[in-house]
Amino acid sequence: MKSRYLPVIALLLLVLAPLVLPTFQITLLNYIGLYTLVVLGLVLLTGVGGMTSFGQAAFVGLGAYTSAYLTTTAQLPEWLQWAAGSPWLALLIGLVLTAVVALLLGAMTLRLSGHYLPLGTIAWGISLYYVFGTLTSLGGHTGVSGLPSVELFGIVLDKGEKMFYLIWAILVVAIVITRNLLNSREGRAIRALKGGQLMAEAMGVNTFRSKLVIFLISALFASLSGWLYAHTQRFVNPTPFGLSMGIDYLFMALIGGVATVWGALLGAGILTMLKQWLQDLLPILFGSDGQYETIVFGLLIVLMMQKAPGGLFPMLSSLVPARFRQRKEISINSNAESLPRRELPKSGQLILEACEVTRRFGGLVANNNMSLQVHAGEIVALIGPNGAGKSTMFNQLSAVDTPSDGEVKFLGQSLKGKTSREVASMGMSRTFQHVKLLPTMSVLENVAIGAHLRGNKGVLSSALHMEREEEQRLLKEAAYQLERVGLGEYLHEEAGSLALGQQRILEIARALCSDPCLLLLDEPAAGLRYLEKQALGDLLRKLRSEGMAILLVEHDMDFVMGLVDRIVVMEFGEKIAEGLPVEIQTNPRVLEAYLGGAE
């Protein structure tokens, strides 16, 4: 069966389900749909973005209680009376309120790292839970009853069978929006958050903004689920919005596959059905006293995490015979308009200047009064033995780190106070000593991250699939740069499957994709074979002839001596020599410190 028919069959089954299934089964499907909507947000937040949140149930409660208050309170404040009794207006207000709360909480907690972030989400999740149970206007722990049914196109959705269609229609739209977002320029930035933040910032991605975006989207999905829950049950109390339910949502994501959209549906379905089966079966086996299902469920979760840590959906997908699996290849429109190119500075113009840069780490001086210059149309090498301070200097030049003393100027502007993202927008791009790429993302998409600053379509355009023209231009540029560096045949391969030398070349293609006037290369020839080094040298010479300035750190002296125009030599954080390759080769201090000494 061709995979393109599967969505049609799935939609047909959803339409027929309320007509053929008993009420109890429809109720379970409604819960699965509601839970999936929340877990979908966790896929973005935790699985893709790498940020664990225990507080999603609180956002569900925010949507539910907002609608309960607005549709059941007899005397609303005057400024809210326009929304009295209307579930749809309550939904709008609930989403706005959720957005405001999410932005405030996100601004406070998303800058936390390590275990502090999940602890922060627990804190505000518990706080919102107690707000719901404390305020008398929200019914306290007793809750609020008598919520009106939702009415759509004159049809009153007063039964579970009718709400089923609304719940699943909204869920299908949410899945489409999520998939559209992830397969876009904004989505690549979001996918770079987990394990690639330093690289993403160097490519011009505002990683905090990307974090805030997925935090907001996940909160809105949860709030929408809460609104649907409130008008399905027509009653709300604080119990479903506590920390235990927040943990359940995380379990659903982990069971299904926290990094996959379809895993959200699978996890919500399995957990919901499993809980129901255990509640029915275990009392028969062990008696009615005690919560045996919780104990058994916990043991099953631990077992599953050991056997399938990535979740069930990836595991099940791997069991599908290869002939039925379709290799996902991103289409590239060769007729798409090319991206505009930066006008490179005139040959010989001063591009980068380091003026007596010193960097201290406590009592350790990693760089001491380091000065160097790089001009347009010139390749400069920064060399020195291991521990000489080259990488630290490299970070000062690219604004990843800030000098303790001295100054770095790029295109005549001081980089003091600027972030690596701002410097990238000025025309500087870099690679890394230890390769930084997203191994499960395709080679093409990894390189397209480099073109992030050359697009401007935002989250809404991406979610609604309205950025296709710009996306094709970005992908065409990425494909061009990959062809340029000799990786054109690997466009659709996973980046992690490439050899180390090819991954370094991929990083150069990604850096070129940002259209820089200055290229900083950190050990670009490491891991390359002889012919690959020759091809890299030819590429760098071509870039130099076009007017690009290049600064590279490299240990391969044969590669350096036959390529660069000038060499700066470091030892113990200080510059000990500078000059032409032939001068460096005969410099006694260099021979003693580097070329003739042990590395």
Side-chain angles (χ1 to χ4, degrees), residues 351-352 374 410 427-429 516-520 548-551:
I351 301 293
L352 181 69
V374 183
F410 177 51
M428 182 191 298
S429 196
C517 63
L518 172 64
L519 197 57
L520 303 182
M548 187 175 294
I550 301 172
L551 174 67

Side-chain angles (χ1 to χ4, degrees), residues 216-243:
L216 176 61
I217 292 173
S218 67
L220 292 176
F221 282 173
S223 179
L224 184 54
S225 175
W227 176 81
L228 288 166
Y229 170 83
H231 290 283
T232 301
Q233 295 292 102
R234 300 177 68 183
F235 166 78
V236 293
N237 73 344
T239 304
F241 314 126
L243 182 60

Side-chain angles (χ1 to χ4, degrees), residues 23-54:
T23 301
F24 176 72
Q25 299 298 329
I26 294 301
T27 300
L28 281 181
L29 286 174
N30 283 346
Y31 277 115
I32 291 171
L34 293 171
Y35 295 157
T36 303
L37 194 53
V38 183
V39 179
L40 199 59
L42 282 174
V43 166
L44 283 172
L45 190 63
T46 304
V48 179
M51 296 172 287
T52 303
S53 172
F54 289 91

Side-chain angles (χ1 to χ4, degrees), residues 11-23 25-26 29 160-162 164-165:
L11 287 174
L12 183 60
L13 290 175
L14 284 176
V15 170
L16 294 176
L19 304 178
V20 296
L21 293 178
T23 301
Q25 299 298 329
I26 294 301
L29 286 174
E161 292 83 349
K162 296 179 180 179
F164 172 90
Y165 291 110

Side-chain angles (χ1 to χ4, degrees), residues 381-391 433 522-526 533 552-561 564 567-578 581 583-599:
L382 181 63
I383 69 171
N386 291 331
K390 304 183 299 296
S391 295
Q433 180 181 5
D522 202 345
E523 300 190 22
K533 289 179 183 178
L552 60 89
V553 171
E554 186 53 68
H555 283 291
D556 188 328
M557 289 300 101
D558 291 335
F559 179 75
V560 168
M561 295 301 175
V564 305
I567 298 176
V568 176
V569 187
M570 293 181 65
E571 184 185 22
F572 299 122
E574 298 182 344
K575 180 167 67 174
I576 62 171
E578 180 176 2
E583 296 171 343
I584 297 300
Q585 285 177 308
T586 57
N587 187 298
R589 289 195 66 187
V590 176
L591 290 174
E592 180 182 357
Y594 187 76
L595 297 179
E599 293 189 28

Side-chain angles (χ1 to χ4, degrees), residues 433-455:
Q433 180 181 5
H434 304 290
V435 174
K436 296 186 184 301
L437 47 77
L438 304 170
T440 59
M441 194 183 289
S442 72
V443 169
L444 180 67
E445 290 180 294
N446 265 277
V447 173
I449 292 174
H452 184 82
L453 284 171
R454 302 174 72 181

Side-chain angles (χ1 to χ4, degrees), residues 189-496:
I190 292 167
R191 289 151 70 189
L193 293 174
K194 193 175 182 179
Q197 289 192 52
L198 180 61
M199 174 274 294
E201 284 282 340
M203 295 298 110
V205 176
N206 186 336
T207 54
F208 181 73
R209 174 186 173 276
S210 295
K211 289 180 181 181
L212 205 55
V213 163
I214 55 176
F215 188 76
L216 176 61
I217 292 173
S218 67
L220 292 176
F221 282 173
S223 179
L224 184 54
S225 175
W227 176 81
L228 288 166
Y229 170 83
H231 290 283
T232 301
Q233 295 292 102
R234 300 177 68 183
F235 166 78
V236 293
N237 73 344
T239 304
F241 314 126
L243 182 60
S244 62
M245 196 63 209
I247 295 173
D248 279 355
Y249 288 132
L250 271 176
F251 278 156
M252 292 175 194
L254 290 170
I255 289 170
V258 72
T260 63
V261 170
W262 297 116
L265 179 58
L266 181 63
I270 288 176
L271 186 68
T272 304
M273 300 299 292
L274 185 60
K275 274 194 167 185
Q276 187 60 49
W277 290 335
L278 291 175
Q279 287 173 358
D280 292 342
L281 177 63
L282 294 179
I284 298 174
L285 299 176
F286 301 109
S288 58
D289 294 328
Q291 293 184 326
Y292 294 108
E293 72 277 1
T294 304
I295 299 172
V296 174
F297 178 69
L299 293 173
L300 290 174
I301 290 291
V302 172
L303 180 64
M304 202 215 75
M305 291 296 101
Q306 290 180 334
K307 300 299 182 182
L312 292 177
F313 186 80
M315 185 183 74
L316 294 175
S317 298
S318 67
L319 299 177
V320 176
R323 64 180 181 274
F324 295 116
R325 276 185 256 159
Q326 285 190 335
R327 181 179 173 181
K328 184 181 177 182
E329 294 190 358
I330 301 172
S331 61
I332 304 171
N333 182 6
S334 58
N335 296 320
E337 185 180 348
S338 299
L339 294 173
R341 304 217 170 270
R342 185 191 309 272
E343 183 178 349
L344 295 177
K346 294 180 180 179
S347 182
Q349 180 180 333
L350 181 61
I351 301 293
L352 181 69
E353 182 179 19
C355 308
E356 299 182 346
V357 169
T358 297
R359 183 65 172 104
R360 301 183 191 89
F361 297 95
L364 174 66
V365 180
N367 296 143
N368 186 30
N369 291 324
M370 274 295 302
S371 297
L372 60 82
Q373 293 182 341
V374 183
H375 299 84
E378 177 184 43
I379 302 178
V380 177
L382 181 63
I383 69 171
N386 291 331
K390 304 183 299 296
S391 295
T392 303
M393 187 64 190
F394 211 72
N395 287 336
Q396 314 304 308
L397 298 174
S398 58
V400 170
D401 198 5
T402 303
S404 303
D405 294 306
E407 185 177 41
V408 177
K409 293 182 179 179
F410 177 51
L411 296 175
Q413 296 185 46
S414 173
L415 299 188
K416 187 175 182 180
K418 294 188 181 296
T419 64
S420 57
R421 182 177 71 253
E422 292 170 325
V423 172
S425 68
M426 296 168 64
M428 182 191 298
S429 196
R430 64 166 293 180
T431 63
F432 296 86
Q433 180 181 5
H434 304 290
V435 174
K436 296 186 184 301
L437 47 77
L438 304 170
T440 59
M441 194 183 289
S442 72
V443 169
L444 180 67
E445 290 180 294
N446 265 277
V447 173
I449 292 174
H452 184 82
L453 284 171
R454 302 174 72 181
N456 54 34
K457 296 295 184 182
V459 175
L460 188 60
S461 297
S462 300
L464 298 179
H465 218 46
M466 297 169 60
E467 75 335 336
R468 290 296 92 187
E469 183 179 345
E470 179 185 89
E471 178 71 359
Q472 283 299 316
R473 296 173 71 189
L474 297 176
L475 293 175
K476 179 182 176 181
E477 175 69 14
Y480 165 72
Q481 297 298 348
L482 282 165
E483 292 285 351
R484 196 179 190 186
V485 302
L487 292 178
E489 62 183 295
Y490 299 101
L491 294 183
H492 305 293
E493 302 292 334
E494 284 192 353

